[in-house]
Amino acid sequence: MSPIPTSEIRALIRPHTGELTDIQRTSRGFSSDVTALVNCEEGPFFVKAVRNRPGGRRDSITRERLINPFVCPLSPALRWHAEGEDWIALGFELVEGRSSDFGPGSSDLPEIVELLDRIGKLDLPDVARDWPETRWNRFALDETEVELFQGGALLHTDINPSNLIAGGQDMWAVDWAWPTRGAAFIDPALFVVQLVSAGHSAESAESWASGCAAWVNADPKAIDAFAAATLRMYRVFADRKPDASWLKVMVAAAQSWVEHRGVTGV
């Protein structure tokens, strides 16, 4: 973990934080150059920052800023944003919690399902209409399958334990780093793969996903196509990074899911 460019970040955010007392770097947030807990006169805040350079991370933090008003209170509120020549930063309300537990028998699972169901019922804001989901398209067999992934639902698309924060009686979805518009079943489907990777059988994982209306209402053929595309995607990623053990786990999880659904020729 590289050192925080303290003077640059402090200067950028001070108009919003007031006097700074402490900046604690966190490991959460793979889409950011810096994530930190900031204790200050006006806070505390959870701060994400990226270099102000054209490209994916700058685009991502812009999307996260734009979508935040439409995903509260399911997510911590964005209190301010700051942009300078070298950095862009977002300051979020700090919520107390921990990464959720996706494992079999976890007491978090009912709340996770409820949260995913609520996300699936959010209205698609105008700002997201030009953000079509395309990441699985190249792993589909043909354009007919690609069409099955399209839709008018607002998607989080990064469903994993570190992005669903459990705190007391509350559960929050954080890190809306790349929200998109697509088929509503995709977020519950991503949950299924994560559950299998956490030790569930594919049958158990799908039974949890069935608590989401978007899953229940989905065309089974669309889920089959998505499961196969997900397996192809993780195979490609694992081949590119053979030392990344987590990708091997995801390949195995996707393989189990595909076999459970009886999808062949993958």
Side-chain angles (χ1 to χ4, degrees):
M1 185 179 297
S2 59
I4 299 175
T6 305
S7 60
E8 296 176 43
I9 295 294
R10 284 176 178 265
L12 178 66
I13 69 177
R14 187 174 290 111
H16 304 281
T17 63
E19 189 63 30
L20 288 148
T21 56
D22 186 38
I23 299 179
Q24 300 175 23
R25 186 80 177 265
T26 72
S27 59
R28 197 172 80 201
F30 298 107
S31 60
S32 303
D33 294 308
V34 171
T35 58
L37 304 179
V38 175
N39 292 302
C40 56
E41 185 178 357
E42 301 294 335
F45 299 108
F46 176 71
V47 174
K48 301 179 68 170
V50 301
R51 298 279 184 182
N52 193 357
R53 299 168 180 163
R57 289 195 170 187
R58 189 184 192 285
D59 294 344
S60 174
I61 205 168
T62 298
R63 284 199 185 195
E64 187 162 7
R65 172 176 63 83
L66 292 173
I67 204 63
N68 184 261
F70 304 100
V71 298
C72 294
L74 305 184
S75 303
L78 178 66
R79 296 305 186 192
W80 49 263
H81 73 275
E83 182 170 349
E85 183 177 352
D86 297 319
W87 288 91
I88 300 174
L90 304 181
F92 292 91
E93 170 190 11
L94 184 64
V95 295
E96 296 292 335
R98 55 170 172 78
S99 296
S100 55
D101 181 356
F102 279 26
S106 167
S107 61
D108 291 342
L109 292 173
E111 289 184 71
I112 294 170
V113 171
E114 181 183 4
L115 178 60
L116 291 177
D117 189 49
R118 292 173 69 191
I119 291 173
K121 293 175 180 176
L122 290 172
D123 291 333
L124 180 73
D126 287 343
V127 70
R129 294 189 184 278
D130 292 332
W131 300 343
E133 180 52 64
T134 61
R135 280 165 290 186
W136 283 267
N137 291 5
R138 66 191 178 99
F139 302 105
L141 285 180
D142 51 38
E143 287 302 315
T144 300
E145 286 195 352
V146 167
E147 188 61 29
L148 296 174
F149 306 159
Q150 309 310 303
L154 175 65
L155 303 175
H156 182 286
T157 73
D158 194 9
I159 305 301
N160 66 69
S162 66
N163 285 343
L164 302 181
I165 302 299
Q169 300 301 310
D170 297 310
M171 182 78 66
W172 296 277
V174 301
D175 202 11
W176 287 78
W178 203 252
T180 57
R181 171 183 55 78
F185 75 84
I186 288 178
D187 276 349
L190 297 176
F191 180 48
V192 168
V193 184
Q194 288 286 330
L195 288 177
V196 177
S197 74
H200 293 257
S201 68
E203 181 179 9
S204 170
E206 289 197 344
S207 72
W208 281 108
S210 69
C212 298
W215 177 269
V216 174
N217 296 330
D219 182 347
K221 292 182 180 179
I223 298 177
D224 288 348
F226 187 81
T230 297
L231 175 55
R232 295 185 195 105
M233 178 185 73
Y234 278 122
R235 282 174 175 167
V236 169
F237 292 171
D239 286 344
R240 289 177 181 172
K241 297 182 178 180
D243 295 331
S245 59
W246 73 272
L247 285 172
K248 295 177 183 177
V249 170
M250 296 310 296
V251 169
Q255 181 72 51
S256 295
W257 185 28
V258 163
E259 291 174 358
H260 168 71
R261 295 197 64 83
V263 181
T264 60
V266 184

